[in-house]
PDB file of all heavy atoms in Angstrom:
ATOM      1  N   HIS A 257     173.260 246.497 155.268  1.00  0.00           N
ATOM      2  CA  HIS A 257     172.239 246.882 154.211  1.00  0.00           C
ATOM      3  C   HIS A 257     173.023 247.254 152.887  1.00  0.00           C
ATOM      4  O   HIS A 257     172.438 247.060 151.773  1.00  0.00           O
ATOM      5  CB  HIS A 257     171.528 248.197 154.608  1.00  0.00           C
ATOM      6  CG  HIS A 257     170.378 247.822 155.641  1.00  0.00           C
ATOM      7  ND1 HIS A 257     170.148 246.566 156.115  1.00  0.00           N
ATOM      8  CD2 HIS A 257     169.472 248.538 156.380  1.00  0.00           C
ATOM      9  CE1 HIS A 257     169.154 246.488 156.953  1.00  0.00           C
ATOM     10  NE2 HIS A 257     168.699 247.708 157.132  1.00  0.00           N
ATOM     11  N   TYR A 352     153.950 240.125 148.685  1.00  0.00           N
ATOM     12  CA  TYR A 352     153.206 239.478 149.785  1.00  0.00           C
ATOM     13  C   TYR A 352     152.528 240.514 150.589  1.00  0.00           C
ATOM     14  O   TYR A 352     152.906 241.772 150.493  1.00  0.00           O
ATOM     15  CB  TYR A 352     154.129 238.643 150.704  1.00  0.00           C
ATOM     16  CG  TYR A 352     155.279 239.478 151.231  1.00  0.00           C
ATOM     17  CD1 TYR A 352     155.174 240.059 152.541  1.00  0.00           C
ATOM     18  CD2 TYR A 352     156.438 239.701 150.561  1.00  0.00           C
ATOM     19  CE1 TYR A 352     156.190 240.825 153.145  1.00  0.00           C
ATOM     20  CE2 TYR A 352     157.498 240.374 151.082  1.00  0.00           C
ATOM     21  CZ  TYR A 352     157.397 240.968 152.356  1.00  0.00           C
ATOM     22  OH  TYR A 352     158.339 241.741 152.918  1.00  0.00           O
ATOM     23  N   VAL A 363     160.267 238.974 160.308  1.00  0.00           N
ATOM     24  CA  VAL A 363     160.725 239.980 161.179  1.00  0.00           C
ATOM     25  C   VAL A 363     161.520 241.052 160.295  1.00  0.00           C
ATOM     26  O   VAL A 363     161.857 240.819 159.072  1.00  0.00           O
ATOM     27  CB  VAL A 363     161.692 239.388 162.197  1.00  0.00           C
ATOM     28  CG1 VAL A 363     160.976 238.568 163.169  1.00  0.00           C
ATOM     29  CG2 VAL A 363     162.811 238.646 161.522  1.00  0.00           C
ATOM     30  N   GLY A 364     161.897 242.117 160.916  1.00  0.00           N
ATOM     31  CA  GLY A 364     162.852 243.120 160.332  1.00  0.00           C
ATOM     32  C   GLY A 364     162.238 243.818 159.069  1.00  0.00           C
ATOM     33  O   GLY A 364     161.048 243.962 158.956  1.00  0.00           O
ATOM     34  N   PRO A 365     163.152 244.117 158.096  1.00  0.00           N
ATOM     35  CA  PRO A 365     162.555 244.840 156.941  1.00  0.00           C
ATOM     36  C   PRO A 365     161.649 244.053 156.243  1.00  0.00           C
ATOM     37  O   PRO A 365     160.755 244.674 155.489  1.00  0.00           O
ATOM     38  CB  PRO A 365     163.943 245.059 156.098  1.00  0.00           C
ATOM     39  CG  PRO A 365     165.048 245.089 157.116  1.00  0.00           C
ATOM     40  CD  PRO A 365     164.591 244.089 158.239  1.00  0.00           C
ATOM     41  N   VAL A 366     161.682 242.719 156.249  1.00  0.00           N
ATOM     42  CA  VAL A 366     160.672 242.045 155.426  1.00  0.00           C
ATOM     43  C   VAL A 366     159.339 242.269 155.955  1.00  0.00           C
ATOM     44  O   VAL A 366     158.342 242.395 155.193  1.00  0.00           O
ATOM     45  CB  VAL A 366     161.031 240.479 155.579  1.00  0.00           C
ATOM     46  CG1 VAL A 366     159.986 239.647 154.968  1.00  0.00           C
ATOM     47  CG2 VAL A 366     162.379 240.269 154.978  1.00  0.00           C
ATOM     48  N   ARG A 367     159.179 242.348 157.268  1.00  0.00           N
ATOM     49  CA  ARG A 367     157.836 242.553 157.929  1.00  0.00           C
ATOM     50  C   ARG A 367     157.438 244.083 157.610  1.00  0.00           C
ATOM     51  O   ARG A 367     156.306 244.351 157.345  1.00  0.00           O
ATOM     52  CB  ARG A 367     157.953 242.349 159.381  1.00  0.00           C
ATOM     53  CG  ARG A 367     156.757 242.566 160.203  1.00  0.00           C
ATOM     54  CD  ARG A 367     155.765 241.346 160.180  1.00  0.00           C
ATOM     55  NE  ARG A 367     154.772 241.299 161.233  1.00  0.00           N
ATOM     56  CZ  ARG A 367     154.840 240.514 162.349  1.00  0.00           C
ATOM     57  NH1 ARG A 367     155.765 239.558 162.343  1.00  0.00           N
ATOM     58  NH2 ARG A 367     153.884 240.467 163.085  1.00  0.00           N
ATOM     59  N   ARG A 368     158.463 244.923 157.835  1.00  0.00           N
ATOM     60  CA  ARG A 368     158.082 246.450 157.633  1.00  0.00           C
ATOM     61  C   ARG A 368     157.715 246.740 156.166  1.00  0.00           C
ATOM     62  O   ARG A 368     157.070 247.726 155.943  1.00  0.00           O
ATOM     63  CB  ARG A 368     159.334 247.189 158.027  1.00  0.00           C
ATOM     64  CG  ARG A 368     159.478 247.107 159.590  1.00  0.00           C
ATOM     65  CD  ARG A 368     160.487 248.112 160.228  1.00  0.00           C
ATOM     66  NE  ARG A 368     161.884 247.931 159.838  1.00  0.00           N
ATOM     67  CZ  ARG A 368     162.705 247.098 160.413  1.00  0.00           C
ATOM     68  NH1 ARG A 368     162.332 246.487 161.454  1.00  0.00           N
ATOM     69  NH2 ARG A 368     164.051 246.959 160.100  1.00  0.00           N
ATOM     70  N   ALA A 369     158.258 246.036 155.225  1.00  0.00           N
ATOM     71  CA  ALA A 369     158.010 246.246 153.761  1.00  0.00           C
ATOM     72  C   ALA A 369     156.481 245.951 153.381  1.00  0.00           C
ATOM     73  O   ALA A 369     155.974 246.435 152.401  1.00  0.00           O
ATOM     74  CB  ALA A 369     158.948 245.378 152.831  1.00  0.00           C
ATOM     75  N   ALA A 370     155.841 245.229 154.266  1.00  0.00           N
ATOM     76  CA  ALA A 370     154.430 245.062 154.070  1.00  0.00           C
ATOM     77  C   ALA A 370     153.534 245.897 154.944  1.00  0.00           C
ATOM     78  O   ALA A 370     152.330 245.756 155.036  1.00  0.00           O
ATOM     79  CB  ALA A 370     154.131 243.522 154.526  1.00  0.00           C
ATOM     80  N   PHE A 374     157.227 246.950 162.834  1.00  0.00           N
ATOM     81  CA  PHE A 374     157.717 245.885 163.746  1.00  0.00           C
ATOM     82  C   PHE A 374     159.322 245.963 163.833  1.00  0.00           C
ATOM     83  O   PHE A 374     159.999 245.530 162.918  1.00  0.00           O
ATOM     84  CB  PHE A 374     157.372 244.567 163.252  1.00  0.00           C
ATOM     85  CG  PHE A 374     157.593 243.402 164.169  1.00  0.00           C
ATOM     86  CD1 PHE A 374     156.578 243.057 165.085  1.00  0.00           C
ATOM     87  CD2 PHE A 374     158.790 242.623 164.220  1.00  0.00           C
ATOM     88  CE1 PHE A 374     156.770 241.948 165.958  1.00  0.00           C
ATOM     89  CE2 PHE A 374     159.039 241.645 165.152  1.00  0.00           C
ATOM     90  CZ  PHE A 374     158.069 241.267 166.009  1.00  0.00           C
ATOM     91  N   LEU A 403     161.503 246.641 149.683  1.00  0.00           N
ATOM     92  CA  LEU A 403     162.657 246.273 150.527  1.00  0.00           C
ATOM     93  C   LEU A 403     163.851 247.124 150.191  1.00  0.00           C
ATOM     94  O   LEU A 403     164.604 247.429 151.102  1.00  0.00           O
ATOM     95  CB  LEU A 403     162.899 244.849 150.364  1.00  0.00           C
ATOM     96  CG  LEU A 403     161.955 243.777 151.146  1.00  0.00           C
ATOM     97  CD1 LEU A 403     161.990 242.428 150.577  1.00  0.00           C
ATOM     98  CD2 LEU A 403     162.226 243.842 152.543  1.00  0.00           C
ATOM     99  N   ILE A 406     163.146 250.669 151.771  1.00  0.00           N
ATOM    100  CA  ILE A 406     163.260 250.575 153.181  1.00  0.00           C
ATOM    101  C   ILE A 406     164.730 250.500 153.705  1.00  0.00           C
ATOM    102  O   ILE A 406     165.117 251.314 154.608  1.00  0.00           O
ATOM    103  CB  ILE A 406     162.495 249.368 153.848  1.00  0.00           C
ATOM    104  CG1 ILE A 406     160.998 249.761 153.889  1.00  0.00           C
ATOM    105  CG2 ILE A 406     162.941 248.943 155.131  1.00  0.00           C
ATOM    106  CD1 ILE A 406     160.211 248.632 154.486  1.00  0.00           C
ATOM    107  N   ARG A 407     165.531 249.701 153.093  1.00  0.00           N
ATOM    108  CA  ARG A 407     166.853 249.499 153.525  1.00  0.00           C
ATOM    109  C   ARG A 407     167.761 250.801 153.283  1.00  0.00           C
ATOM    110  O   ARG A 407     168.559 251.178 154.062  1.00  0.00           O
ATOM    111  CB  ARG A 407     167.542 248.325 152.901  1.00  0.00           C
ATOM    112  CG  ARG A 407     166.903 246.970 153.553  1.00  0.00           C
ATOM    113  CD  ARG A 407     167.746 245.786 153.122  1.00  0.00           C
ATOM    114  NE  ARG A 407     167.433 244.605 153.884  1.00  0.00           N
ATOM    115  CZ  ARG A 407     166.657 243.655 153.416  1.00  0.00           C
ATOM    116  NH1 ARG A 407     166.070 243.682 152.170  1.00  0.00           N
ATOM    117  NH2 ARG A 407     166.307 242.538 154.083  1.00  0.00           N
ATOM    118  N   GLU A 410     166.699 253.198 155.791  1.00  0.00           N
ATOM    119  CA  GLU A 410     167.199 252.804 157.214  1.00  0.00           C
ATOM    120  C   GLU A 410     168.690 253.209 157.316  1.00  0.00           C
ATOM    121  O   GLU A 410     169.225 253.540 158.436  1.00  0.00           O
ATOM    122  CB  GLU A 410     167.032 251.286 157.462  1.00  0.00           C
ATOM    123  CG  GLU A 410     165.576 250.940 157.747  1.00  0.00           C
ATOM    124  CD  GLU A 410     165.408 249.462 158.197  1.00  0.00           C
ATOM    125  OE1 GLU A 410     166.339 248.730 158.210  1.00  0.00           O
ATOM    126  OE2 GLU A 410     164.258 249.137 158.509  1.00  0.00           O
ATOM    127  N   GLU A 450     167.263 244.285 167.571  1.00  0.00           N
ATOM    128  CA  GLU A 450     167.015 244.472 166.169  1.00  0.00           C
ATOM    129  C   GLU A 450     168.271 244.314 165.414  1.00  0.00           C
ATOM    130  O   GLU A 450     168.939 245.423 165.236  1.00  0.00           O
ATOM    131  CB  GLU A 450     166.204 245.764 165.889  1.00  0.00           C
ATOM    132  CG  GLU A 450     165.673 245.932 164.544  1.00  0.00           C
ATOM    133  CD  GLU A 450     164.569 245.038 164.174  1.00  0.00           C
ATOM    134  OE1 GLU A 450     163.891 244.408 165.062  1.00  0.00           O
ATOM    135  OE2 GLU A 450     164.258 244.773 162.910  1.00  0.00           O
ATOM    136  N   ALA A 451     168.605 243.153 165.032  1.00  0.00           N
ATOM    137  CA  ALA A 451     169.833 243.086 164.062  1.00  0.00           C
ATOM    138  C   ALA A 451     169.454 243.579 162.712  1.00  0.00           C
ATOM    139  O   ALA A 451     168.333 243.917 162.397  1.00  0.00           O
ATOM    140  CB  ALA A 451     170.141 241.622 164.052  1.00  0.00           C
ATOM    141  N   PRO A 452     170.504 243.804 161.864  1.00  0.00           N
ATOM    142  CA  PRO A 452     170.149 244.380 160.519  1.00  0.00           C
ATOM    143  C   PRO A 452     169.161 243.570 159.750  1.00  0.00           C
ATOM    144  O   PRO A 452     168.234 244.195 159.044  1.00  0.00           O
ATOM    145  CB  PRO A 452     171.565 244.211 159.762  1.00  0.00           C
ATOM    146  CG  PRO A 452     172.629 244.340 160.829  1.00  0.00           C
ATOM    147  CD  PRO A 452     171.883 243.684 162.061  1.00  0.00           C
ATOM    148  N   ARG A 453     169.120 242.225 159.912  1.00  0.00           N
ATOM    149  CA  ARG A 453     168.063 241.464 159.228  1.00  0.00           C
ATOM    150  C   ARG A 453     166.713 241.312 159.933  1.00  0.00           C
ATOM    151  O   ARG A 453     165.741 240.811 159.440  1.00  0.00           O
ATOM    152  CB  ARG A 453     168.630 240.068 158.923  1.00  0.00           C
ATOM    153  CG  ARG A 453     169.803 240.091 157.893  1.00  0.00           C
ATOM    154  CD  ARG A 453     170.208 238.738 157.683  1.00  0.00           C
ATOM    155  NE  ARG A 453     171.382 238.541 156.806  1.00  0.00           N
ATOM    156  CZ  ARG A 453     172.612 238.627 157.092  1.00  0.00           C
ATOM    157  NH1 ARG A 453     172.983 238.884 158.363  1.00  0.00           N
ATOM    158  NH2 ARG A 453     173.575 238.569 156.212  1.00  0.00           N
ATOM    159  N   GLY A 454     166.692 241.806 161.168  1.00  0.00           N
ATOM    160  CA  GLY A 454     165.496 241.746 161.964  1.00  0.00           C
ATOM    161  C   GLY A 454     165.644 241.311 163.320  1.00  0.00           C
ATOM    162  O   GLY A 454     166.798 241.226 163.789  1.00  0.00           O
TER     163      GLY A 454
END
Side-chain angles (χ1 to χ4, degrees):
H257 286 0
Y352 57 93
V363 298
V366 174
R367 184 79 163 252
R368 297 193 284 273
F374 190 90
L403 284 162
I406 279 186
R407 287 192 171 103
E410 286 188 356
E450 187 71 19
R453 297 181 176 88

